[in-house]
Amino acid sequence: MHTSKINQESKPVRKLIVLGGGSAGWMSAAFLNHALGKQVQVCLVESPTIGRIGVGEATLPTIKEDFFDFLGIPESEWMPACKATFKMGIKFMNWLKSPEEGGDKYYHCFGEIPSIGEVPLSHILYKKWAEEGGVALDKSCYTSPHYCERHLAPKMSDGRKVEHYAYHIDAQLVADFLRDRSVERGVEHIYDNIVHVHLNEEGNIGWLVGENGDKYEAEMYVDCTGFTGALLGKALGEPWIDFNDTLLTDSAVAINIPGNPKAEQIRPYTSATGMKHGWLWETPLFGRTGNGYVYSSQFVSQEDAEAELRQHFGERAEGRDVRHIRFRTGRRRRSWVKNCVGIGLASSFLEPLESTGLYFVYAALHQFIRHFPSGDVNPVHRKAFNERVSYMVEDVKDFIIMHFITAGRKDTPFWRAAKEVKIPDSLQEILDKQKAGLPIKMSYHGNKSLYSTFESSFDRFWTNSNYQAVLAGVNYLPDEILPILNLRPDLMQKGELQLEKIRKEVRHRLASLPTHYDFLKGIHQPKEVEQVS
């Protein structure tokens, strides 16, 4: 007979130190302080001399529920402080053809493509295409692209939500907002440059030493020092696994451009425009846009990349300062080593094509809380955390690689090289399913799908809807029709009714939704609205 043995001798975690004060650091401090309550003192130590990387940043819808709602912060409180706007998806331009070849565009929007029983509407549409000719999947299966084109809000004037949405935010202001709020709620805030990390006999971090000799000691440490990885990488020696063999971009040049939201309106989507040597993001904030050109230094110099960026924006970029950023894509082999957890860039980085930067922060924090030690760290919990974080990063990596592998452009050496990288086996399986006409990772709603063996929400971060939006957008279409559609003509009839239902809803909403700018006026402070009008 087995009996339970609860370890009463292990030392409980009474204090946790977050090192680093950027958006990852202050998101971690705010989250952990709220989740752990008064049981654990959270202290954040940040350098008074090291600047932040954060720029205008796009997010995913889960940031509302899993972060801001979790902390109990309403949109009316944090959005004005962070110059935030709404985002209903990403508008991809010039990924299929270069501007000289006529260009192209498609939307990758939030939310699930409707299904008729077990058959997604996307695959009913593929059969229609085969029989009748092409129809845009984004504007057929979703309502939001129509609203994006007209710069409308995802909510009615009375606040009722009609579309899935995320946000565009100023990452610097998010860090400032969370800093002030966290300090008010008991987080200890210290400015100091850490010059030494002391490891004890077991190899755990014992304490940190500041430049004036002050010692900072805790049972757990969270490394939010960005690419430096001061704790996880430098002190504990955890190796970095490079993704540069499959993701070619390694640099960016960023520029902020003021705007007049009243005159120009505010786009409720992120733009991702294919360029000669990479792609360019545009993130509309309230009063300006945050923009940047993500490129590969193998194919273009820093100076020429900046020139291409300025040419794209023309007069709007004249006299505006730019910021050059060098980055490395990849992840730590393990994100939790000994008594230290890496969050944000200290743990992993993938280029920002699908707006997953901040998602990795709060998703890892949720995993950390699920496995948080009540005493000595249990290796089983640590291993489970590391497996989950590694899976999330690798899954997103495959999804981003897919954009470049399937893009139609071949006009420059960059685009040709991006198609020649080694395709991970996990991604090849997805591409094979697409060509065979099978849905990819159907969403999980409590019942197993005929087309999926995935059994938890962690395994369906990207669902068939996400894959089809991107693959259909670049004409990477199935070679075969889903077999059941040839056996069940009633499914096609029901699909037609669903397509008409979407068209009807679009007509109704176009006549009733407020503009994005008009809705945001009710959230942002009146004085601020006057200043940018």
Side-chain angles (χ1 to χ4, degrees), residues 68 78-84 168-171 173-175 177 285 524:
F68 288 112
W78 72 265
M79 285 187 70
C82 303
K83 306 286 187 183
H168 301 117
I169 60 178
D170 185 316
L173 295 179
V174 168
F177 172 82
L285 302 173
H524 290 262

Side-chain angles (χ1 to χ4, degrees), residues 83-138:
K83 306 286 187 183
T85 62
F86 292 114
K87 170 190 172 183
M88 286 188 275
I90 304 173
K91 184 178 183 179
F92 286 86
M93 292 174 283
N94 303 339
W95 284 72
L96 183 61
K97 297 180 290 186
S98 69
E100 292 75 19
E101 297 168 319
D104 62 282
K105 67 179 181 180
Y106 72 89
Y107 284 93
H108 177 195
C109 291
F110 301 129
E112 291 295 309
I113 292 174
S115 291
I116 309 300
E118 295 287 350
V119 179
L121 192 58
S122 54
H123 287 65
I124 291 174
L125 203 63
Y126 287 144
K127 183 171 172 61
K128 281 177 61 66
W129 286 354
E131 297 171 349
E132 304 172 12
V135 180
L137 180 142
D138 54 359

Side-chain angles (χ1 to χ4, degrees), residues 416-460:
R416 292 192 291 271
K419 291 179 174 300
E420 295 170 0
V421 302
K422 178 177 172 55
I423 302 177
D425 292 342
S426 49
L427 175 56
Q428 187 61 59
E429 182 181 350
I430 286 170
L431 297 178
D432 290 344
K433 281 187 175 182
Q434 174 70 356
K435 284 301 182 181
L438 289 176
I440 304 166
K441 293 186 181 180
M442 290 288 284
S443 61
Y444 181 78
H445 297 294
N447 296 311
K448 290 184 180 179
S449 164
L450 291 174
Y451 305 103
S452 175
T453 58
F454 293 90
E455 296 189 3
S456 81
S457 60
F458 295 116
D459 293 310
R460 60 160 183 82

